[in-house]
Amino acid sequence: MSDLDRIYHELSERDDAARRAHFSSTLIQLWDGNMEYPLQVRSVIDHEGEDPTWSVGGGVTHFAYDSPEGHYCYDLIRPDEDLHLTVELVDPDDPSIGWESRVAFKAVNVDLVDQEDGTQIVEVQWTTALAHWEHLILMAVPMLPPQLQPIHYWVALGNIRTQFLLALHMALAVTYSPLWRFVDNPFSIASYRDAVDPRRWPLMVSPLTALRDATKPVLAAFRFDMALPAMIDQLRDADCWPVARQWLPGDPQPFPSHVTLVRPTLILDIEHEELVPGITGTFVDGYIHLLVGLADDLITEVVHPILDPSLLPKNPSQHPLGDKLGLAPAKPWPLYRRGEYSGIVEGRISLRKSLGTVFWTGGRSPEWVNQAITLAISTALDYVGFTMGIPGLGNLYQGQLDNTVLAFAKTEDRRRARGAGRFAFRHVWCSEASVGFGMATAIALRKGWFDSKPRMVRTVEVIDGFPYRIYRDVKKGSACCFEMPDGSIYVDRITNIKHRLDRETEMRYALVVGDDTGDEDPIAELWGRWNQMRDVARKLFLEH
């Protein structure tokens, strides 16, 4: 055997050993409502779950009722007490991997099921801890009671992570601090200490680093809105995603320079991974990325880049300006290749067909049109009444012709119709505009045209460990490249992490890269940003 063959076999054996250790390092635990008394799951019929990037995930687990896990879920935990589950990786050489990889679930339904063969099983349905974001209300003035809200909106301009985490912190302060609520035991000093000390709250936000926040700026505006629905679209637009990570005693302190945690705590945070490295390393980078993104929306319709393998940049900064300025290289994107030993288990290229060729919108005339019609008709009636000696004739007109001129608009894409064929779908109603003439009309027609056009959507599912390992080499939200059947390289983010376990198979993870929910018309997206700021200003100063 040559030296090259020996080295190859040694590296292969080392890689196989690392992969086996990775697959067998999963720890699953059941927890009570306070996350204090765990039970390690050792006997499970099957379990599967998912942790999407921009939405709340969930899962389902089946236990035998006569197992410790079945009795724990159905008998030991009171009916009115919460039941939790954590799934994590364990590595003695890297204690932080458990905290970073931990996915926390909360039970929403526990069923005792009698099966046909006479056995009993316990079925538990879960939702991920990110659901806590859906159960936090963002007030307009969180410092005041809900009965007194003199300001219409909580409005702040700044980097999205800073602004949103600050709003979440205010919501948690209203929830747990004795600001507008009585402590559980008003005669106990410990109750007041638990209420005023954020370290002892069940939920807390990650400490802010505003000067180094490189996320895009946003105009945050809230008025008794649920946190996740109010934030998710802007987070996705800024390439950020919400997380809710469970910290447990024994884990490394996540923020040793800011705070020392002493009790089980669910930490709310916003993560961001730059596709292009920043220039200054400060909050200014967010404004630079916003300006570049606005300019890109005006000149291109590319949502996700498609690269030629022969043109992959040698410098992993992936930014010409960064190369010229000599910036430190960014972390290179993981690349999944097609082939016999590839981790790609399912690649999907969806050819979405045309959904329409004629586009309609509107509903009412612009206000100035209605006013002009009213002025013209009323003036004409007054003149007729003056000549006939009938005063007040102009009052007969009470807007009978309002919303009849320039109230609706229509456009047609005949080139698309010819390409689709004689039996193409025709009419599409674009509901984004309420008037038939104006900038909003043009944007609504454009958005309807874009959303219904034929397009190609690419998604891929890859198995963990071939070659990249989840939570070690890649994680939720990471940008990845994967090779398409035509040889091109497609760039998108990890949008979902799925895992499955049963009696015969160890825990296996699968990564979903890409979806079509972010394929929004860049022009409509640009106009949406402007509309958001305009609506906030109108509601803030004019709404009563």
Side-chain angles (χ1 to χ4, degrees):
M1 181 182 297
S2 65
D3 291 340
L4 293 179
D5 292 337
R6 179 179 54 81
I7 294 174
Y8 171 78
H9 287 294
E10 289 179 357
L11 293 177
S12 297
E13 292 176 358
R14 187 179 304 175
D15 184 62
D16 292 340
R19 188 176 291 116
R20 286 193 300 270
H22 174 70
F23 288 156
S24 62
S25 62
T26 303
L27 174 64
I28 304 178
Q29 292 178 293
L30 293 166
W31 299 81
D32 64 317
N34 294 322
M35 301 289 291
E36 293 177 346
Y37 301 104
L39 173 66
Q40 183 175 348
V41 174
R42 299 181 182 274
S43 175
V44 59
I45 299 176
D46 59 69
H47 165 79
E48 60 181 10
E50 62 176 355
D51 185 22
T53 303
W54 284 287
S55 61
V56 177
V60 61
T61 309
H62 295 99
F63 301 109
Y65 177 59
D66 58 358
S67 66
E69 294 84 358
H71 287 297
Y72 186 96
C73 295
Y74 195 79
D75 297 326
L76 184 60
I77 299 297
R78 303 187 312 272
D80 60 343
E81 183 181 4
D82 282 346
L83 172 66
H84 298 93
L85 178 82
T86 57
V87 180
E88 61 191 89
L89 299 179
V90 178
D91 187 351
D93 298 327
D94 184 8
S96 63
I97 192 67
W99 144 256
E100 294 175 354
S101 66
R102 183 176 297 131
V103 180
F105 295 90
K106 178 184 289 289
V108 294
N109 198 36
V110 181
D111 295 335
L112 180 60
V113 182
D114 284 325
Q115 293 188 306
E116 185 178 0
D117 58 2
T119 60
Q120 291 182 316
I121 65 171
V122 175
E123 179 182 278
V124 187
Q125 297 177 0
W126 310 95
T127 183
T128 55
L130 190 63
H132 281 281
W133 285 65
E134 295 182 328
H135 294 269
L136 288 175
I137 290 183
L138 307 176
M139 299 170 59
V141 188
M143 292 75 67
L144 297 178
Q147 295 83 1
L148 179 61
Q149 297 286 299
I151 299 178
H152 292 294
Y153 269 74
W154 169 280
V155 178
L157 176 65
N159 299 79
I160 189 170
R161 181 176 182 271
T162 299
Q163 297 303 325
F164 282 5
L165 289 185
L166 179 61
L168 288 173
H169 180 74
M170 298 301 297
L172 293 178
V174 172
T175 303
Y176 296 117
S177 72
L179 188 62
W180 301 116
R181 62 183 295 271
F182 294 105
V183 297
D184 294 336
N185 185 358
F187 304 103
S188 171
I189 298 179
S191 296
Y192 289 97
R193 183 176 66 250
D194 293 345
V196 300
D197 187 356
R199 299 177 303 173
R200 306 181 73 85
W201 293 351
L203 279 72
M204 67 170 291
V205 299
S206 175
L208 298 175
T209 54
L211 295 180
R212 291 181 294 173
D213 183 6
T215 57
K216 292 181 181 179
V218 67
L219 184 65
F222 308 113
R223 179 179 172 84
F224 289 90
D225 297 313
M226 304 306 293
L228 188 62
M231 295 178 175
I232 195 62
D233 289 337
Q234 292 174 297
L235 287 172
R236 186 164 193 144
D237 179 58
D239 280 332
C240 300
W241 51 94
V243 297
R245 187 170 289 120
Q246 183 71 55
W247 183 88
L248 298 171
D251 292 336
Q253 288 291 334
F255 319 110
S257 59
H258 295 84
V259 64
T260 301
L261 302 181
V262 296
R263 302 173 68 178
T265 306
L266 187 68
I267 298 177
L268 309 182
D269 199 358
I270 294 174
E271 293 187 348
H272 169 65
E273 181 181 281
E274 295 179 342
L275 296 180
V276 177
I279 297 178
T280 67
T282 65
F283 69 95
V284 179
D285 291 339
Y287 291 85
I288 296 175
H289 288 317
L290 176 63
L291 294 177
V292 173
L294 293 177
D296 181 71
D297 287 345
L298 289 173
I299 62 177
T300 180
E301 293 185 357
V302 174
V303 179
H304 301 287
I306 301 176
L307 308 175
D308 187 332
S310 62
L311 300 178
L312 287 176
K314 297 180 180 179
N315 189 334
S317 67
Q318 290 132 2
H319 195 295
L321 182 58
D323 299 340
K324 294 180 181 179
L325 296 178
L327 297 180
K331 180 180 178 180
W333 295 333
L335 175 58
Y336 290 93
R337 293 280 192 179
R338 299 173 64 243
E340 181 180 357
Y341 303 102
S342 171
I344 299 177
V345 295
E346 179 181 327
R348 184 183 298 271
I349 301 179
S350 300
L351 302 177
R352 304 292 174 87
K353 298 298 184 178
S354 170
L355 298 178
T357 60
V358 184
F359 310 96
W360 306 71
T361 192
R364 59 183 177 84
S365 304
E367 194 62 32
W368 61 269
V369 173
N370 290 332
Q371 292 176 358
I373 293 175
T374 300
L375 178 63
I377 295 178
S378 298
T379 302
L381 290 176
D382 284 336
Y383 179 77
V384 172
F386 176 77
T387 58
M388 298 177 62
I390 305 176
L393 193 61
N395 294 329
L396 293 176
Y397 181 76
Q398 297 295 326
Q400 289 87 342
L401 296 181
D402 284 357
N403 302 324
T404 59
V405 178
L406 298 181
F408 296 91
K410 165 195 164 185
T411 186
E412 182 178 0
D413 188 345
R414 296 193 177 185
R415 181 178 179 182
R416 182 190 297 182
R418 289 192 298 268
R422 294 175 55 236
F423 298 98
F425 290 128
R426 292 296 181 177
H427 293 184
V428 175
W429 179 257
C430 310
S431 59
E432 284 76 12
S434 59
V435 297
F437 183 82
M439 183 62 71
T441 306
I443 295 299
L445 293 173
R446 158 81 186 198
K447 189 174 188 303
W449 171 87
F450 186 91
D451 292 343
S452 61
K453 74 175 184 177
R455 65 187 187 275
M456 184 179 296
V457 177
R458 302 168 177 84
T459 59
V460 66
E461 185 170 334
V462 297
I463 193 171
D464 179 32
F466 296 92
Y468 305 105
R469 296 171 297 172
I470 184 64
Y471 301 118
R472 289 182 169 91
D473 305 316
V474 294
K475 62 178 182 178
K476 185 173 67 173
S478 296
C480 295
C481 304
F482 54 93
E483 186 178 7
M484 304 306 298
D486 59 1
S488 62
I489 304 298
Y490 190 67
V491 182
D492 208 337
R493 292 190 181 274
I494 295 177
T495 56
N496 198 355
I497 297 178
K498 302 178 180 180
H499 60 265
R500 178 172 176 79
L501 170 71
D502 56 41
R503 287 173 171 173
E504 288 76 25
T505 309
E506 294 180 328
M507 179 70 77
R508 288 291 186 269
Y509 288 89
L511 315 179
V512 180
V513 183
D515 58 20
D516 63 340
T517 57
D519 292 346
E520 183 177 355
D521 180 14
I523 300 298
E525 188 175 351
L526 178 63
W527 180 251
R529 293 193 184 103
W530 162 251
N531 269 340
Q532 179 197 4
M533 293 186 292
R534 185 185 64 178
D535 290 343
V536 168
R538 177 177 60 82
K539 294 177 181 178
L540 185 62
F541 298 108
L542 301 180
E543 189 177 88
H544 297 287

